[in-house]
Amino acid sequence: MRATILVLVIGLIFSSCSKDKYTSAPQIKYKSLTSNVYDNTAQFAPSIVFSITDAEGDLGDTAIIHIKNLLSGDSIEVGFPNLNGATKKNLKADVTASIGRLQGCFAANPPGHIDTMYYEVYVTDFAKNRSNTIVTGDPIYQQCQ
C-alpha cells in the first residue's frame, strides 16, 4: 500500500512539471515538402513546410527563415510570410518557405546527373530569439542540365 501511494505521489509530481510547449525562442518541426523534384525549367521551386510555436508570437516582418542547402553549403534568408495574427501570444501555425535559388548541381556534374539535397532550417523572431534547427526528412532531387 505504501509503495502504491509513493508511486502515485511521484507520478503527480512529474506530471505537474510538464514543459510548456510555448517558449520565447520559436520551436519548429519539419512537416513536408511541396515537391521533391527541383527542375530548373519549372515555374517554381519546392517549398519546405514546417510548424512553428512561439510564446510571444513576434514573427512579423522582422522574423527571418534561414535555409541552408546541406549539399552545396549555400544558404539564404527568407522573409516570414504573413500569418494573420502573428502578434498573438502562444502562436501555433504552419509555415511554407520556398528554397528559391538553393539548387545543388555543380558545374563539374555531367548532364543527367541527379543530386540529392537536404536542407537545414531555423527561424529568428523579432527579439532575435533563434529556434531549434531542423533538417528536411525528405530529399529533393535535381537533375543536372
Side-chain angles (χ1 to χ4, degrees), residues 10 46 76 122 127:
I10 291 173
I76 59 171
Y122 70 91

Side-chain angles (χ1 to χ4, degrees), residues 15-96:
S15 67
S16 66
C17 295
S18 65
K19 281 189 162 184
D20 185 7
K21 68 179 181 176
Y22 297 100
T23 60
S24 289
Q27 297 298 308
I28 60 176
K29 182 178 178 185
Y30 173 75
K31 291 188 88 172
S32 64
L33 296 170
T34 58
S35 172
N36 70 340
V37 177
Y38 191 107
D39 182 358
N40 289 340
T41 63
Q43 298 282 333
F44 57 90
S47 295
I48 299 167
V49 181
F50 59 92
S51 62
I52 188 164
T53 60
D54 187 61
E56 292 82 19
D58 54 347
L59 296 166
D61 296 341
T62 58
I64 298 172
I65 302 168
H66 305 265
I67 305 172
K68 180 179 180 181
N69 181 327
L70 295 177
L71 177 66
S72 67
D74 292 339
S75 61
I76 59 171
E77 293 181 347
V78 179
F80 222 83
N82 182 358
L83 293 179
N84 293 334
T87 57
K88 69 177 189 169
K89 302 267 185 207
N90 295 335
L91 173 77
K92 182 175 183 176
D94 287 342
V95 177
T96 302

